[in-house]
Amino acid sequence: FHIGEREEKCIIEDIPSDTLVVGNYKVQRWDIHKHDFLESAPGLGMFVTVTSPSGEVLLSKLYGPQGTFSFTSYLSGEHIICFQSNSTRFAVIAGSKLRLHLDIRVGEHFLDESAIRAKDKVDEVNVRLEHLIEQIHHVTREQEYEREREEKFRKTSEETNSNILWWAIAQTLILISIGIWQIKSLRDFFISKKLV
């Protein structure tokens, strides 16, 4: 995505609890003379800030023009990941555009292939098995989180349906009472005018 030089842009990631998040990014600066984005942006860095659903800052760090950041969520919910360049130019002259390439991987644990090759075949199978078990635990946590969200949504829907039912009953009772009152008023009017 594109971002202004002094602008802060944030994305929201819905992440289950106890999940590792790894992000890779690269920043490119717009070159006025070439009318294209330069392959690298020397001297330019990015402030990366990660905020948990409770508002606590999990990560706030300055990185270079390209880098990798990681954090582990301890609460499930929407985490806010914000990026802002470390440009020192004034906002008036800092009109340069930046292009930010971003890759976020949630719950992914990487295998160190060089360590696997260094060990014998039994250790390789053991390490891969541990990796698979870890991935299974991640999928299980993800499913539990989705189940919690579905249950919360279902409860909200049931409460809304119940409120709608009671509102409909109240409206019906009000309409019946007004109808009875109108009939009684008309009857009293006709009796007072001696039309009945």
Side-chain angles (χ1 to χ4, degrees):
F1 56 88
H2 292 149
I3 182 173
E5 198 166 332
R6 302 277 297 172
E7 181 184 3
E8 181 181 47
K9 281 235 175 150
C10 298
I11 61 170
I12 298 174
E13 278 290 321
D14 201 2
I15 303 170
S17 61
D18 299 324
T19 302
L20 175 68
V21 177
V22 178
N24 296 313
Y25 74 90
K26 180 172 92 172
V27 180
Q28 295 176 310
R29 179 179 276 154
W30 177 256
D31 187 359
I32 299 172
H33 305 295
K34 294 181 181 176
H35 296 290
D36 195 12
F37 287 95
L38 296 176
E39 197 50 43
S40 65
L44 187 67
M46 293 300 276
F47 284 108
V48 179
T49 307
V50 179
T51 309
S52 72
S54 65
E56 182 181 341
V57 176
L58 297 177
L59 173 73
S60 180
K61 191 172 178 185
L62 175 64
Y63 293 91
Q66 67 182 45
T68 301
F69 62 91
S70 64
F71 65 94
T72 302
S73 65
Y74 66 92
L75 282 176
S76 57
E78 293 181 341
H79 289 68
I80 301 171
I81 305 170
C82 297
F83 299 91
Q84 185 177 19
S85 72
N86 68 339
S87 174
T88 56
R89 298 202 271 176
F90 292 113
V92 177
I93 60 174
S96 180
K97 284 192 295 186
L98 301 174
R99 179 184 286 169
L100 184 65
H101 300 270
L102 179 64
D103 178 30
I104 294 181
R105 298 178 185 195
V106 177
E108 188 163 316
H109 300 278
F110 302 100
L111 286 175
D112 186 5
E113 295 295 333
S114 61
I116 291 175
R117 273 181 266 164
K119 297 180 181 185
D120 59 31
K121 294 293 179 187
V122 174
D123 285 343
E124 180 181 343
V125 170
N126 197 12
V127 168
R128 289 192 184 273
L129 184 62
E130 288 175 2
H131 179 73
L132 284 174
I133 290 171
E134 190 173 307
Q135 290 293 343
I136 289 170
H137 288 305
H138 169 68
V139 168
T140 305
R141 281 194 307 269
E142 184 95 21
Q143 286 176 337
E144 288 172 2
Y145 175 61
E146 292 300 325
R147 194 174 297 121
E148 288 172 9
R149 288 184 64 202
E150 187 272 332
E151 184 178 336
K152 188 173 163 187
F153 180 75
R154 185 178 45 78
K155 284 181 181 177
T156 304
S157 297
E158 287 174 357
E159 287 175 7
T160 304
N161 286 341
S162 174
N163 290 342
I164 289 172
L165 174 68
W166 286 112
W167 178 245
I169 290 171
Q171 280 182 327
T172 305
L173 290 175
I174 290 171
L175 286 174
I176 290 171
S177 338
I178 290 174
I180 292 171
W181 177 77
Q182 283 180 338
I183 291 172
K184 184 181 178 315
S185 297
L186 275 173
R187 191 174 141 249
D188 291 344
F189 174 76
F190 288 142
I191 290 173
S192 69
K193 296 294 182 182
K194 298 183 181 172
L195 295 174
V196 178

